[in-house]
Amino acid sequence: MTDKKIANLIEIKVPDVGNVPSIDVVEVLICVGELIIIDQTVATLETDKATMELPSPVQGRIQQIFIKAGDKVQEGTLVATVVPTELENTPQAPVVAEVLAPVTEPVLATNIASIATASPAPQSVKSAQQALPIASSTTTRKAHASPAVRLFARELGVDINKVSLGSGRKGRLLKEDVKEWVKKIMLDGKPVSGAAAIPAIPVIDFSVFGEIEAKSLSKIKKLTGQNLTRVWLNLPMVTYHDEADITDLEAFRSTLNAEKGKDELKITGLLFIIKALVAAMQQFPSFNASLSSDGEQLLLKKYFNIGIAVDTPNGLVVPVLRDVNNKSINQLALELAEKSTKARQGKLLPADMQGGCMTISSLGGIGGTAFTPIVNAPEVAILGVTRAKMQPVWNGAEFVPRLMLPLDLTYDHRVIDGAEGARFMSVVIQNLSDIRRLLL
Ligand code: CAO
């Protein structure tokens, strides 16, 4: 009886693929208990010359699978056995439990449904359930895609079974679907898991070492984190450090502030840095640009908007000062004060933070000698500022005390090369060292 039932199974075997002694199993696309149709791809096989799909010659339910990804097979290797659809739920249906595992008690059930629900010896039940998981609840969706598309997905490190439904005929996945999926993951900022993904930081139970408290990150911190990770992973960045002699600028700024009334807005050094930066950007258009999304073109901007990183209780935000080239230092002072106050009160609107051409991150009010800011992509560069300090500077005859301002320029090396970065920074420094240049 058992023989007869086994004989009713259809065997799927590796076909003749042209005298190839060893064929790699790339992927098995079926699972036990799954209902398959004629020509549905059962597995993807690969020789050193080609990748091929192995189609099912029959419609039915997968009874057992004999290969797995990574196996080496050859012509005639048994891939899977299938209970043909016409035999399902008939007395002729093969008894899966008998085929899969030796049982101590005879299995009395005569069809698949009754195997799962009858109460034979415990081991029989276990075997039957392992063999025939309820397809809808325990099987994963297997992608319907050609070998070329599967290969493409593998090259990108994408698990093709996770790509949502394909746009091809009958939901077949196309290369475009894989590309769209990758694009979506990148935009979501969620790292892809799998072979080509960046290895995850190990999860550690810190409570083993002492008391801990979990505190949720603010929305701004979470978004900033995603954005910074995306930039870090996408941009080859270089940071160039230099310093500007701002002794004369500082004297001028003190004079200006001394002239101001008690309630008037004071001028900070940052405002001159903004102006000096924009003057340099006017000389170096590639700093006032973004790369096109295909990386083929540089999109040069004819406006000069500067983002200013502002530290707030909820995290870092970057309001944008617009048309800086057309505004006076006093106008900019007012605008920066307004926007940084709004930022700290959490009242910035999305429009206040859009349209930046280059960003300044100033830690000068806090301290520091240098740091490496991360470019606020799709901008191509960012200027970091740390605390100015008096230093002995050799003037050719003697050391003189000068107020030196450390500056850090990080740039996208795809757009800006090292020499251009250094030349740009020299111009920023000249502008700050002698602000009369801003009039030129
Ligand atoms: N060297 C020495 N002193 C400096 C300085 C520098 N480079 N930059 C600012 N200062 C001084 C200012 O002159 C001011 O001094 P007084 O109080 O005596 O006038 C004081 O530090 C505070 O300045 P400020 O920070 O209020 O003003 P600002 O115009 O320099 O900066 C703003 C404005 C909004 C950029 C700043 O308040 C801020 O939020 N900075 C933090 C930005 C940040 O977190 N960046 C990091 C991002 S990277 O992850």
Side-chain angles (χ1 to χ4, degrees):
M1 184 174 165
T2 303
D3 282 345
K4 185 167 173 267
K5 286 175 181 171
I6 292 172
N8 286 331
L9 290 171
I10 304 268
E11 293 181 334
I12 303 177
K13 291 184 174 175
V14 175
D16 175 13
V17 294
N19 242 351
V20 180
S22 173
I23 305 164
D24 291 327
V25 178
V26 175
E27 211 172 353
V28 176
L29 299 163
I30 46 169
C31 31
V32 172
E34 183 180 346
L35 199 56
I36 57 163
I37 55 171
I38 291 177
D39 282 344
Q40 178 172 336
T41 306
V42 165
T44 307
L45 307 177
E46 200 168 62
T47 67
D48 52 357
K49 294 197 177 57
T51 306
M52 71 210 91
E53 288 178 332
L54 177 61
S56 168
V58 65
Q59 175 162 330
R61 200 174 287 276
I62 298 294
Q63 190 259 0
Q64 196 172 355
I65 299 170
F66 297 88
I67 59 166
K68 59 180 185 320
D71 281 358
K72 300 247 181 244
V73 295
Q74 57 191 19
E75 182 191 339
T77 302
L78 183 58
V79 170
T81 43
V82 181
V83 181
T85 302
E86 62 272 17
L87 290 188
E88 261 205 300
N89 301 325
T90 69
Q92 286 76 43
V95 178
V96 176
E98 286 177 328
V99 176
L100 267 183
V103 291
T104 48
E105 297 283 332
V107 175
L108 302 173
T110 54
N111 64 38
I112 290 162
S114 61
I115 285 173
T117 53
S119 306
Q123 195 186 346
S124 306
V125 173
K126 193 168 165 236
S127 301
Q129 284 170 342
Q130 277 172 346
L132 293 172
I134 310 298
S136 61
S137 62
T138 54
T139 57
T140 49
R141 191 181 69 80
K142 292 288 177 184
H144 184 31
S146 70
V149 173
R150 289 178 185 283
L151 182 67
F152 179 63
R154 276 201 304 284
E155 282 171 356
L156 295 178
V158 168
D159 176 353
I160 198 156
N161 296 318
K162 290 192 176 146
V163 179
S164 35
L165 274 183
S167 53
R169 222 176 124 249
K170 292 188 179 171
R172 199 177 176 85
L173 287 172
L174 307 178
K175 257 188 185 180
E176 281 59 41
D177 299 317
V178 178
K179 281 188 202 164
E180 275 308 308
W181 191 81
V182 171
K183 208 191 283 178
K184 187 173 173 299
I185 297 270
M186 297 304 289
L187 289 174
D188 285 352
K190 288 180 194 136
V192 188
S193 63
I198 294 182
I201 308 272
V203 179
I204 291 174
D205 177 6
F206 301 106
S207 64
V208 168
F209 308 108
E211 197 188 341
I212 57 163
E213 180 197 342
K215 190 177 161 212
S216 296
L217 289 181
S218 70
K219 198 170 170 210
I220 290 179
K221 268 212 185 289
K222 282 195 246 179
L223 289 173
T224 307
Q226 280 179 13
N227 188 38
L228 291 174
T229 308
R230 191 162 43 211
V231 175
W232 187 268
L233 294 174
N234 278 288
L235 268 62
M237 289 183 276
V238 173
T239 305
Y240 176 82
H241 309 280
D242 207 338
E243 44 188 17
D245 183 339
I246 56 163
T247 318
D248 297 340
L249 168 61
E250 198 54 19
F252 178 56
R253 190 176 77 89
S254 301
T255 311
L256 283 179
N257 283 341
E259 288 167 4
K260 287 196 180 277
K262 208 170 143 244
D263 298 327
E264 272 185 285
L265 203 56
K266 296 278 185 293
I267 304 293
T268 64
L270 181 59
L271 298 162
F272 290 99
I273 298 172
I274 295 170
K275 274 291 196 185
L277 181 68
V278 165
M281 287 163 77
Q282 287 173 317
Q283 278 188 51
F284 292 80
S286 54
F287 280 80
N288 193 28
S290 286
L291 260 187
S292 61
S293 54
D294 60 5
E296 300 278 324
Q297 288 175 311
L298 198 55
L299 308 173
L300 300 165
K301 298 163 195 173
K302 308 290 177 185
Y303 51 88
F304 296 88
N305 299 344
I306 299 296
I308 304 292
V310 176
D311 180 33
T312 81
N314 285 327
L316 189 69
V317 289
V318 185
V320 172
L321 306 179
R322 291 179 192 281
D323 302 318
V324 169
N325 52 321
N326 297 327
K327 288 178 180 161
S328 70
I329 294 270
N330 283 330
Q331 279 173 308
L332 290 172
L334 196 65
E335 201 174 325
L336 179 60
E338 273 170 15
K339 291 215 163 137
S340 54
T341 307
K342 247 172 126 182
R344 291 191 173 111
Q345 292 170 343
K347 289 186 179 161
L348 282 179
L349 300 173
D352 292 324
M353 294 180 273
Q354 287 164 357
C357 302
M358 202 172 148
T359 296
I360 298 179
S361 178
S362 173
L363 294 172
I366 304 167
T369 52
F371 73 119
T372 52
I374 296 175
V375 171
N376 190 12
E379 296 168 17
V380 294
I382 183 168
L383 184 70
V385 183
T386 49
R387 172 148 287 202
K389 71 169 185 242
M390 275 295 182
Q391 286 180 36
V393 175
W394 185 251
N395 68 2
E398 57 183 342
F399 280 106
V400 287
R402 305 296 294 179
L403 185 63
M404 303 303 290
L405 176 72
L407 297 170
D408 317 287
L409 178 76
T410 301
Y411 51 85
D412 182 343
H413 213 340
R414 296 172 304 170
V415 177
I416 291 153
D417 60 34
E420 200 181 7
R423 279 195 284 269
F424 176 82
M425 191 72 128
S426 297
V427 171
V428 174
I429 287 169
Q430 278 174 4
N431 291 343
L432 286 170
S433 302
D434 187 346
I435 52 162
R436 290 173 304 179
R437 288 175 183 276
L438 298 179
L439 298 172
L440 299 176

